[in-house]
Amino acid sequence: MPGQRKRARSRERQRARTAVPGRWEPLFSTEDAVELKAYVRRLRSEGTDADQLRLDTFCGRLEFPTTYRVSVFVPEASE
């Protein structure tokens, strides 16, 4: 099935991230895909690691528009 390899790599990266305790902190939410891409492009140009970003797409239905959200992984502070 197409896309299986991509999903497997994504799961491997997710497992590697979850080995470090932490949480996902929402940074930005929008209903405009172009605005989302511009925001992510700006974050990456500022030096944010792409592996530390998570892009979520909340699919819309008749009453609710599609929403996009950018989150960043924040590791727990070790004492």
Side-chain angles (χ1 to χ4, degrees):
M1 177 178 267
Q4 290 292 330
R5 184 175 296 152
K6 183 178 179 182
R7 282 193 290 273
R9 280 192 308 244
S10 178
R11 282 191 299 265
E12 288 171 13
R13 270 192 258 141
Q14 182 69 25
R15 282 189 206 116
R17 255 189 244 122
T18 56
V20 177
R23 67 186 186 288
W24 289 100
E25 187 77 25
L27 292 178
F28 181 72
S29 183
T30 185
E31 295 175 4
D32 185 14
V34 175
E35 190 177 3
L36 170 78
K37 289 178 184 180
Y39 184 80
V40 171
R41 196 175 307 122
R42 194 187 80 205
L43 282 176
R44 289 182 179 164
S45 70
E46 291 174 354
T48 304
D49 184 18
D51 287 338
Q52 298 299 315
L53 294 177
R54 184 174 77 181
L55 306 176
D56 297 315
T57 303
F58 301 103
C59 295
R61 297 286 187 240
L62 295 175
E63 298 123 23
F64 304 106
T66 299
T67 304
Y68 306 97
R69 184 172 64 187
V70 178
S71 301
V72 66
F73 185 74
V74 179
E76 289 181 4
S78 59
E79 297 176 23

